[in-house]
Amino acid sequence: MFRATYRPRRVLRVTIAATVMAGALFATAACSEAQKAISCAELAMNLTNDVSDLGKVLNDPPAARKALDNLQKTLNDKTKDLDSDDAKNAANGLGDVITQLSTKAANGGNLSASDVQPLINGAKNLTTICVK
């Protein structure tokens, strides 16, 4: 008889504990998704700033190479945080464009606005993917 009176309380405690744990797991999952979106948006914003810096030094191959190195570093550092396959593919495409531009700048060639346009388009594409 004594145990019967405490059993409903135990069931209530277990139910409350399970509800709290489920809520915590849901909140953690929601925070994780939010963090992934923030990481993707940060990457897009950093790339936009780096592309802008590159645009200022198109006629200076050594400075352009440095700007492209910064772009590649930003891309490498932030791509690790991406979870979306679409975002990773877009980042890989940007990496290919950066490599092509770096090769041209390393060979002493001046970069033009038309050379940089695929980089701008790739950054826009990544931004669009991050917003989804």
Side-chain angles (χ1 to χ4, degrees):
M1 179 109 177
F2 185 72
R3 288 182 174 234
T5 59
Y6 287 100
R7 183 176 169 122
R9 286 185 185 169
R10 186 180 316 155
V11 170
L12 180 61
R13 285 185 201 148
V14 170
T15 303
I16 290 172
T19 303
V20 169
M21 288 176 58
L25 287 174
F26 178 76
T28 301
C31 287
S32 175
E33 291 300 315
Q35 184 58 46
K36 290 174 188 172
I38 289 169
S39 294
C40 193
E42 284 176 354
L43 172 59
M45 184 176 62
N46 290 342
L47 288 174
T48 300
N49 291 337
D50 289 349
V51 169
S52 176
D53 291 344
L54 175 62
K56 296 173 186 172
V57 294
L58 291 179
N59 294 323
D60 182 358
R65 285 180 54 204
K66 184 176 180 184
L68 288 163
D69 288 345
N70 288 339
L71 264 165
Q72 190 64 54
K73 183 178 181 333
T74 297
L75 193 62
N76 291 342
D77 290 347
K78 298 289 184 175
T79 301
K80 293 180 252 180
D81 298 333
L82 299 179
D83 190 44
S84 163
D85 288 337
D86 290 339
K88 285 181 181 179
N89 289 337
N92 288 337
L94 279 171
D96 293 342
V97 172
I98 292 168
T99 300
Q100 292 169 358
L101 294 175
S102 293
T103 301
K104 184 173 181 176
N107 291 332
N110 288 341
L111 301 177
S112 67
S114 62
D115 291 329
V116 180
Q117 191 60 47
L119 192 59
I120 294 168
N121 293 341
K124 285 180 184 178
N125 182 40
L126 183 60
T127 303
T128 302
I129 290 169
C130 289
V131 173
K132 286 183 184 178

